[in-house]
Amino acid sequence: GNSVTQMEGPVTLSEEAFLTINCTYTATGYPSLFWYVQYPGEGLQLLLKATKADDKGSNKGFEATYRKETTSFHLEKGSVQVSDSAVYFCALEGSGYIPTFGRGTSLIVHP
Amino acid sequence: EAGVAQSPRYKIIEKRQSVAFWCNPISGHATLYWYQQILGQGPKLLIQFQNNGVVDDSQLPKDRFSAERLKGVDSTLKIQPAKLEDSAVYLCASSPSRGSSYNEQFFGPGTRLTVL
């Protein structure tokens, strides 16, 4: 079956540091890939998505590139802010349009 | 535009009792999802509806869980009887439809269930 593996958290950074959260997946065919974010006390919301190989999703300074050869969709941001502190979930939608989520990675940004 | 509504927000029950959760998706969204999120884990899909038909319920424990989406709008998820391991946040989400152009999911605030 489909699966998503994310790096363990928490990831702790200082403000303006570079962020990478690793995500790899297992799926047949060509799934759509997503990053969702959950800010403290709020529901999950879509951060960015990519639907085919080599696509780059971007939003709010975050980027992720769909790499089919390495089955990866790593999330990056050049300069994090305290307000980016949240839990980040990598997800895929595979054949049959069935979604699968990773465990989530907590990001803590210190001033 | 109103978001996905869920109720109740919190529920505490004894094991072997029954409980029901309600979800009202975004108006016009054809696809509705119920997830179970155990503390420290990602959301696990329980059931997916397209309009009022079930698309996937392969991870729904059908001996105790049931869900329906009458008229393709609101949905209810029921647990009967509850077990301790059912303690989790139950999330409802909706999307305009299925397929890569429509598959952004919009999540409700969730219902936190505690089974004692």
Side-chain angles (χ1 to χ4, degrees), chain A residues 69-80:
Chain A
E69 64 277 11
T70 55
T71 61
S72 65
F73 193 56
H74 304 322
L75 182 68
E76 296 182 336
K77 186 175 186 182
S79 176
V80 293

Side-chain angles (χ1 to χ4, degrees), chain B residues 7-112:
Chain B
S7 67
R9 293 295 310 276
Y10 304 92
K11 189 74 176 178
I12 300 174
I13 61 172
E14 301 278 338
K15 61 182 179 183
R16 291 188 290 273
Q17 285 187 322
S18 301
V19 65
F21 312 126
W22 173 81
C23 173
N24 185 21
I26 292 173
S27 177
H29 279 195
T31 311
L32 186 146
Y33 313 79
W34 281 104
Y35 293 90
Q36 179 191 61
Q37 186 176 19
I38 293 172
L39 186 64
Q41 299 183 19
K44 170 189 163 185
L45 181 69
L46 293 175
I47 189 166
Q48 179 182 163
F49 293 95
Q50 179 72 4
N51 297 310
N52 60 350
V54 175
V55 172
D56 183 82
D57 62 358
S58 57
Q59 299 192 94
L60 186 74
K62 299 181 186 64
D63 58 333
R64 298 184 300 107
F65 286 64
S66 64
E68 61 182 8
R69 189 184 185 196
L70 299 176
K71 301 181 181 178
V73 183
D74 292 9
S75 178
T76 55
L77 176 70
K78 296 179 182 178
I79 308 175
Q80 181 180 5
K83 293 185 175 181
L84 296 177
E85 59 260 36
D86 298 332
S87 294
V89 176
Y90 290 85
L91 298 170
C92 179
S94 69
S95 64
S97 188
R98 303 168 75 210
S100 60
S101 297
Y102 311 105
N103 55 9
E104 174 183 352
Q105 294 183 52
F106 295 82
F107 284 81
T111 297
R112 183 176 298 277

Side-chain angles (χ1 to χ4, degrees), chain A residues 13 18 45 59 65-66:
Chain A
L13 296 173
F18 184 86
Q45 57 187 274
N59 186 25
T65 301
Y66 188 142

